[in-house]
Amino acid sequence: MMSRVPSDGIRTGSVVFMRWMVLFLFFLIPVGCNRQEQPASGSIPAQGSRTLKIGLVPEQDIFAQKKHYEPLLSQLGKELGVALEIKMLPRYGDIVENFHKLDLDGAFFGSFTGALAIEKLGVEPLARPRYLDGASTYYGLIFVRKGSGIHTAEDMRDKRLVLVDRATTAGYLLPLAYFKALGIADYKSWFKESYFSGNHEDAIREVLAGYADIGAAKSTVFYRLAKTDHRLLRELEILAISPHVPANGLAVRHDLADDLKEGLKQHLLTMHRKEAGRSILAEMQIEKFIETTARDYRPVLDYAADLGLDLTSDLPLDD
Amino acid sequence: MKKNVLLGLTLMVFCFIAGGIYIASSIQSVTLNLGRVVSFHQVEFLREELEHNIKAVQTDLLLQGSPHASSFDHSVALIETLEDSADICLSCHHSEKTTHRLGEFVKAIEHYMTLLSRSLTMQANNVRLENARMEAFSQGENLLQDIKTLSTASAGKISERITKIQGDIKATNYFLMACLVLGPVAIVIMAGLFLKRFTGSIDTLVHAAQVLERGDLDYRIAQPLKGEFHTLAGAFNGMAASIKDEQQKFETAHKSYRTLFETAGEAIMISRLDEPPGLILSANRAASDLYGYSIDELQTMNLVHLVPDGQEQEFLEQIRKAGDSGEWQHRRIQRKKKDGALIDVALSMGPMQQGEQKHLLTFCRDITEQLRAEEEMQRSNQMALVGQMSAGLAHEIKNPLAGIKISLDVLAEDLELKPEDKELFGKIGNEIGRMEKLLKSLLNYGRPPQPQFDLFDMNRLLANTLGNVEAVAYGKPELTVHFKKELATDLPRVEADSAQMQQVFLNILLNAVDALETEGTITIATDREDENSIRIRISDSGKGISEAALEKIFNPFFTTKSKGTGLGLSICKRLIEQHGGRIDVESQKERGTSFIIILPLIQKIGGLAA
């Protein structure tokens, strides 16, 4: 385009001027187009030079899960004066296996992985959310498509089962307990096919899409997804629910500096008192964070014990 | 003019501001358009980047499950890069239609990411995993197809927009170039018109000032000017009229001054006070007449040259004193004429300020006649005093003398005298008679009787008096006198004391007879002096009167006769003056003497008309 200007008879001075203008704009415009770019690394820059790595389990679509927690961790990083780097994990079990390997300082654990990490890694739980409905716990759901006629163990024979992950309460322990109650000792041989979707959202979508006949997922994800996809309540039928277990809370490694531990805990617990914090929590459908302790995860261990699982021993987290 | 200047300046400022705003907005518009062009290129770049990232993700997706599969982190990072590029690309579009279309595309990308997440997190058999990947792959391919479709659809529009923007930029450039060319031309034209109007008015005013400077005070600016120049032209015309009036006043005053200066009876001169003091700068005709120098000669002289010899330094001191004190000096002094003669003058001199120059102004008047008159007056007063004293004395002597005469007559009758004693008594009587006559004259001079006016024929009185004198002349056989009368026939009757007039004429005529030695002519003549008076001339062809005697001829007791009293002519003069007239005498040695008497026809005080 620029070479056409002199051919139009415009003076050289004007051409030079125009060239400088365009050059200037080339510097300006990319800045304007890129103004909404976000750091690709997933780290939350903050004032301090120290970086805390916080792991996230794939409770839902991993990208949605990351976006879900980014505002919260960004605000937390600002208030603490540290950089918080989000470390997304593909599987629930990985967070326990790779906590040290990934050099994580903390993670938002699920109830099962939380209990597991407390037992195996000695992490210290700090806080967990209380949702807008007042609950700070969740429960597991077992669901089928309406009209599938699946209600009994016999109905389930040779059907396709989708679970979430072996390291989830709602996506694994509940179905095991449920199948045990129905008299299905080995679900792998009872069902024609069983597989793990990796996250609760996909487990629901698998059943909804007909890729699986029976599925299991946690209640918080189910009802959050149901708000945007009305087919869930219209087309899925819940067969069973589990006892309440603590919602995904933040636990940090035990050797993290006390001031950071206390800082993380206090900022989370008081976040709802600030306007910016309230806005972020509302977006996450959280009323506030409440304090949580290892004792809160005891029901999960008891639930596993009832199933004959000893979480303190090696749990077959993968096939 | 002020309004026009302000209007012009306002217009120019408005044009500059409007031009500046337009140029600024044009630059902004061009910048915006260039920015859009760049944005279109950027869009293309971002689209290519997005397409590239999708293809990279697709490739990574195909490698999943294989030994060459990427790590989870790499895959996540790759997908996040894809998302970022999609966000950047999609955030730059704003039109509703495009936004809606891109919204669908965003949903497709979100779905693609969901499928990618599913493929990454799923733990299932290979078939299911493969299906999950293929589903995600298929979605990726759809996205690539959408991108191609979008690219194809927008390529044409972008090209059109770029062409349109280029056209807009070109039009803006042409307009700006036109402004750059026409703007100065318009300003030059405006400035030219303004200057023409301004300088035209200025030229008119300058021309008028030059004409005025040349002295044409009747010149007026006739051509109509505008604005402040109209006011200025009016003020100029008013000023010219005022100057004309002032000049006329000045000329009138100057003319009056010149007339006064040049026609003044007194000699007026203006001379320097500073060095050289007394240098004459200006002199009037009277000065020329007084000193005998021409005016031009005087104006090359110094006042000192007019001072009698030996008094120059004294006069210079007087000049300096007049200059220093600033007071006028008045004195009677003598001055030297061109012929060297000295004249008595009354001199007044004092400083005169002319601008910043201080000059000496002198007034000089010949007082020779005045001095003479004063001397005459003084003498007359003295004579009058002498006359009065003589009359008094005569009055006192008269009675004793009468007693002596009576006593002498008694003695002459009673005593027997010898003839020689009788003769002696006769001589004494004659001398007493002479004394009585003298006393009578003295009394007549010292206490002249009040005139008794009546109207009479002067010619007739003169003729009668002449007849008496003829009788006296005939009594002198050694003398032959020819009497001649030249009497005006139309002479009106005169109001006067006829007895006193007869006394005057008789005295003069008897003197005329005495002035003749053997033979001569005595002429009486009358005529009108003017409408209010007559002139009487009595002439003789006698021996005449010397100049020295002529000056004293009317003085009492002055006589050239051996037995005269010297009171006759002085009494005549006194009587004539009592009638409000005057008597003059003209005489030439050996040629004769004439007495001229001027008498008023009517007496104003004490006359018949009073």
Side-chain angles (χ1 to χ4, degrees):
Chain A
M1 181 190 75
M2 299 310 298
S3 61
R4 289 173 56 189
V5 176
S7 66
D8 289 343
I10 298 175
R11 291 180 183 177
T12 309
S14 298
V15 173
V16 173
F17 173 74
M18 296 288 278
R19 281 177 178 167
W20 278 106
M21 284 298 295
V22 171
L23 199 60
F24 176 69
L25 290 169
F26 266 116
F27 280 104
L28 277 184
I29 289 167
V31 173
C33 284
N34 291 333
R35 64 185 182 275
Q36 294 180 5
E37 280 186 284
Q38 299 291 337
S41 65
S43 65
I44 311 298
Q47 295 170 354
S49 58
R50 183 165 183 181
T51 300
L52 294 180
K53 287 185 179 177
I54 303 297
L56 288 179
V57 291
E59 190 179 21
Q60 54 185 341
D61 170 353
I62 54 174
F63 306 109
Q65 179 72 348
K66 192 174 180 182
K67 287 178 185 173
H68 186 68
Y69 277 92
E70 266 176 354
L72 175 68
L73 293 174
S74 174
Q75 182 66 22
L76 205 55
K78 283 180 187 174
E79 292 179 2
L80 278 172
V82 297
L84 293 178
E85 181 183 341
I86 295 174
K87 191 67 182 175
M88 200 66 224
L89 298 169
R91 295 175 187 173
Y92 273 79
D94 287 356
I95 202 164
V96 179
E97 289 182 341
N98 299 316
F99 191 87
H100 292 304
K101 187 178 176 182
L102 294 173
D103 199 19
L104 296 177
D105 296 294
F108 277 91
F109 291 97
S111 58
F112 187 94
T113 50
L116 203 59
I118 290 167
E119 288 297 321
K120 298 183 83 172
L121 304 174
V123 297
E124 293 181 24
L126 300 177
R128 71 174 193 272
R130 188 166 81 179
Y131 297 106
L132 295 177
D133 59 1
S136 61
T137 58
Y138 70 89
Y139 51 87
L141 299 172
I142 294 174
F143 46 84
V144 295
R145 289 184 60 79
K146 284 183 179 176
S148 63
I150 300 172
H151 295 97
T152 64
E154 199 57 36
D155 295 337
M156 295 177 188
R157 187 185 292 272
D158 294 329
K159 295 293 186 295
R160 297 165 297 179
L161 172 66
V162 59
L163 301 172
V164 178
D165 192 284
R166 283 193 179 84
T168 65
T169 302
Y172 185 67
L173 292 185
L174 169 63
L176 286 185
Y178 179 67
F179 295 147
K180 186 178 179 182
L182 288 179
I184 300 173
D186 181 11
Y187 72 90
K188 289 183 181 176
S189 59
W190 191 264
F191 290 97
K192 186 173 82 178
E193 181 191 1
S194 62
Y195 62 99
F196 297 98
S197 65
N199 65 68
H200 295 272
E201 217 173 67
D202 279 348
I204 298 166
R205 286 199 182 99
E206 290 290 315
V207 176
L208 193 63
Y211 294 148
D213 301 309
I214 302 169
K218 65 196 306 184
S219 59
T220 50
V221 175
F222 185 89
Y223 290 110
R224 188 166 62 225
L225 191 62
K227 286 183 179 176
T228 55
D229 190 347
H230 301 302
R231 292 180 303 160
L232 267 68
L233 298 179
R234 194 170 60 238
E235 297 180 13
L236 296 181
E237 179 182 358
I238 297 169
L239 297 180
I241 59 173
S242 72
H244 288 249
V245 292
N248 288 13
L250 177 64
V252 296
R253 58 185 169 85
H254 62 88
D255 55 348
L256 188 67
D258 290 340
D259 58 334
L260 280 175
K261 283 183 197 171
E262 190 61 23
L264 284 167
K265 184 177 180 179
Q266 289 306 317
H267 279 98
L268 280 172
L269 295 180
T270 59
M271 187 167 276
H272 63 283
R273 294 176 187 169
K274 301 164 191 171
E275 181 60 36
R278 275 199 298 276
S279 175
I280 292 167
L281 292 177
E283 192 67 26
M284 297 175 75
Q285 299 184 21
I286 294 172
E287 179 192 349
K288 64 179 181 179
F289 276 91
I290 59 174
E291 188 173 4
T292 186
T293 62
R295 191 174 56 193
D296 296 329
Y297 293 85
R298 193 67 219 172
V300 181
L301 297 175
D302 294 341
Y303 195 57
D306 289 344
L307 293 173
L309 297 174
D310 182 6
L311 296 182
T312 57
S313 63
D314 290 335
L315 183 71
L317 295 176
D318 204 353
D319 285 332
Chain B
M1 193 66 194
K2 191 166 37 179
K3 285 181 182 175
N4 291 336
V5 170
L6 288 174
L7 186 64
L9 285 175
T10 306
L11 192 62
M12 287 179 71
V13 168
F14 175 76
C15 288
F16 276 118
I17 291 174
I21 290 172
Y22 178 77
I23 289 171
S25 63
S26 297
I27 290 172
Q28 190 177 9
S29 174
V30 168
T31 304
L32 194 64
N33 286 334
L34 287 173
R36 283 176 181 166
V37 171
V38 174
S39 294
F40 292 148
H41 288 284
Q42 185 76 2
V43 165
E44 287 298 319
F45 170 76
L46 293 173
R47 186 182 291 124
E48 287 175 5
E49 186 183 18
L50 178 62
E51 188 176 353
H52 168 77
N53 287 333
I54 291 174
K55 285 180 179 176
V57 170
Q58 290 286 79
T59 304
D60 187 68
L61 188 63
L62 291 176
L63 289 173
Q64 283 183 15
S66 74
H68 305 292
S70 302
S71 68
F72 174 77
D73 287 343
H74 179 264
S75 297
V76 169
L78 203 58
I79 294 165
E80 284 178 339
T81 304
L82 163 67
E83 186 183 20
D84 289 341
S85 61
D87 287 343
I88 293 166
C89 178
L90 303 178
S91 64
C92 286
H93 298 84
H94 299 290
S95 79
E96 190 177 348
K97 186 178 178 183
T98 307
T99 303
H100 176 72
R101 190 167 182 183
L102 291 174
E104 296 296 324
F105 189 69
V106 168
K107 286 181 182 174
I109 288 176
E110 287 174 354
H111 182 55
Y112 180 49
M113 291 177 69
T114 301
L115 292 177
L116 290 171
S117 172
R118 178 174 172 241
S119 70
L120 286 170
T121 58
M122 180 181 279
Q123 300 169 60
N125 58 45
N126 290 334
V127 174
R128 188 169 289 276
L129 285 173
E130 189 61 23
N131 287 339
R133 290 169 192 149
M134 284 303 106
E135 190 175 357
F137 186 81
S138 175
Q139 180 65 17
E141 289 302 305
N142 290 338
L143 284 174
L144 288 173
Q145 187 59 41
D146 284 348
I147 289 170
K148 281 184 182 176
T149 305
L150 282 171
S151 177
T152 305
S154 62
K157 291 181 180 177
I158 289 172
S159 178
E160 287 175 9
R161 287 180 183 179
I162 289 174
T163 304
K164 184 178 181 303
I165 287 167
Q166 285 175 335
D168 290 345
I169 291 171
K170 194 182 289 184
T172 302
N173 280 338
Y174 286 152
F175 189 83
L176 286 175
M177 295 297 287
C179 286
L180 285 172
V181 173
L182 295 178
V185 170
I187 289 171
V188 167
I189 291 171
M190 277 180 63
L193 290 173
F194 180 77
L195 282 175
K196 185 181 177 185
R197 188 167 168 183
F198 183 79
T199 54
S201 300
I202 291 289
D203 287 344
T204 301
L205 289 168
V206 168
H207 173 70
Q210 288 171 341
V211 171
L212 195 67
E213 187 184 16
R214 288 196 293 269
D216 184 2
L217 297 181
D218 293 323
Y219 183 81
R220 300 289 184 273
I221 298 172
Q223 57 265 54
L225 302 179
K226 292 184 178 179
E228 282 74 6
F229 288 111
H230 176 73
T231 307
L232 195 55
F236 180 88
N237 288 341
M239 181 187 71
S242 180
I243 291 173
K244 175 79 175 173
D245 289 344
E246 290 300 319
Q247 190 201 31
Q248 286 177 344
K249 288 179 185 175
F250 173 77
E251 284 179 350
T252 302
H254 184 67
K255 198 171 178 181
S256 300
Y257 158 74
R258 291 301 307 177
T259 303
L260 188 65
F261 182 76
E262 290 170 358
T263 62
E266 292 194 8
I268 304 173
M269 288 188 288
I270 299 170
S271 53
R272 294 178 71 106
L273 260 178
D274 53 0
E275 295 299 327
L279 183 65
I280 297 169
L281 301 172
S282 182
N284 66 349
R285 173 57 53 190
S288 173
D289 294 342
L290 180 65
Y291 293 108
Y293 293 100
S294 69
I295 293 175
D296 292 337
E297 286 176 326
L298 283 172
Q299 289 176 351
T300 61
M301 295 170 62
N302 195 300
L303 288 177
V304 175
H305 298 148
L306 304 174
V307 174
D309 297 338
Q311 298 178 15
E312 291 87 351
Q313 286 302 319
E314 183 187 354
F315 184 65
L316 283 174
E317 284 301 318
Q318 290 171 357
I319 290 176
R320 290 195 185 94
K321 186 178 177 183
D324 294 340
S325 67
E327 294 179 354
W328 279 76
Q329 299 179 22
H330 308 279
R331 59 187 64 199
R332 287 180 172 182
I333 54 176
Q334 284 193 316
R335 281 291 177 266
K336 186 172 66 179
K337 298 177 70 172
K338 185 177 182 181
D339 58 5
L342 297 177
I343 51 172
D344 293 308
V345 296
L347 177 71
S348 296
M349 65 179 182
M352 181 184 73
Q353 197 75 34
Q354 276 192 327
E356 294 185 355
Q357 285 288 324
K358 203 173 183 181
H359 294 142
L360 181 70
L361 180 63
T362 58
F363 293 89
C364 198
R365 179 166 47 88
D366 186 355
I367 58 171
T368 304
E369 290 299 324
Q370 183 183 343
L371 289 176
R372 188 175 297 162
E374 287 174 359
E375 189 179 344
E376 182 67 25
M377 179 67 74
Q378 187 178 8
R379 189 163 55 239
S380 296
N381 290 338
Q382 288 172 351
M383 290 305 104
L385 183 61
V386 168
Q388 287 173 357
M389 288 175 64
S390 300
L393 186 62
H395 183 73
E396 292 301 320
I397 292 172
K398 184 180 174 183
N399 291 333
L401 191 63
I404 291 169
K405 186 179 178 184
I406 291 169
S407 298
L408 192 62
D409 287 343
V410 170
L411 285 174
E413 287 177 2
D414 292 345
L415 294 175
E416 290 291 333
L417 297 172
K418 294 174 183 178
E420 61 268 21
D421 291 336
K422 283 185 179 179
E423 186 180 356
L424 184 62
F425 266 84
K427 286 183 180 178
I428 293 169
N430 289 338
E431 289 303 318
I432 289 171
R434 256 179 33 102
M435 288 175 68
E436 283 180 338
K437 190 178 178 182
L438 177 61
L439 289 173
K440 189 178 179 183
S441 296
L442 280 172
L443 286 170
N444 202 8
Y445 177 77
R447 296 174 186 167
Q450 286 296 317
Q452 300 300 314
F453 298 111
D454 59 348
L455 284 172
F456 61 90
D457 185 351
M458 189 61 75
N459 285 342
R460 189 173 180 180
L461 180 67
L462 274 169
N464 291 338
T465 307
L466 188 64
N468 293 334
V469 173
E470 282 176 354
V472 173
Y474 292 150
K476 294 182 178 181
E478 74 279 6
L479 185 64
T480 302
V481 181
H482 304 284
F483 292 95
K484 194 175 176 181
K485 289 185 283 191
E486 296 175 357
L487 302 175
T489 56
D490 58 345
L491 198 68
R493 285 151 63 90
V494 179
E495 186 182 13
D497 186 327
S498 56
Q500 290 183 355
M501 288 300 103
Q502 187 176 22
Q503 181 184 349
V504 169
F505 297 150
L506 186 61
N507 194 302
I508 294 170
L509 285 167
L510 288 175
N511 285 341
V513 171
D514 291 340
L516 300 176
E517 293 180 340
T518 56
E519 187 178 359
T521 302
I522 295 174
T523 305
I524 59 171
T526 59
D527 200 358
R528 289 288 290 267
E529 171 72 9
D530 53 38
E531 60 181 2
N532 296 320
S533 57
I534 61 169
R535 183 174 63 247
I536 301 159
R537 176 185 285 267
I538 301 172
S539 307
D540 66 70
S541 60
K543 55 190 175 188
I545 306 169
S546 68
E547 191 174 344
L550 204 60
E551 289 182 1
K552 302 175 182 175
I553 196 166
F554 292 110
N555 289 355
F557 309 112
F558 177 79
T559 181
T560 57
K561 299 176 184 176
S562 58
K563 292 184 179 178
T565 61
L567 291 172
L569 285 176
S570 57
I571 290 169
C572 290
K573 184 175 180 5
R574 194 153 192 175
L575 291 176
I576 292 299
E577 286 176 350
Q578 278 194 151
H579 279 74
R582 71 172 190 272
I583 181 170
D584 296 318
V585 59
E586 296 173 353
S587 182
Q588 287 184 318
K589 203 66 179 175
E590 307 302 332
R591 299 282 302 270
T593 303
S594 294
F595 285 87
I596 300 102
I597 298 167
I598 307 298
L599 276 176
L601 288 172
I602 302 298
Q603 294 298 320
K604 294 180 181 175
I605 300 173
L608 296 175

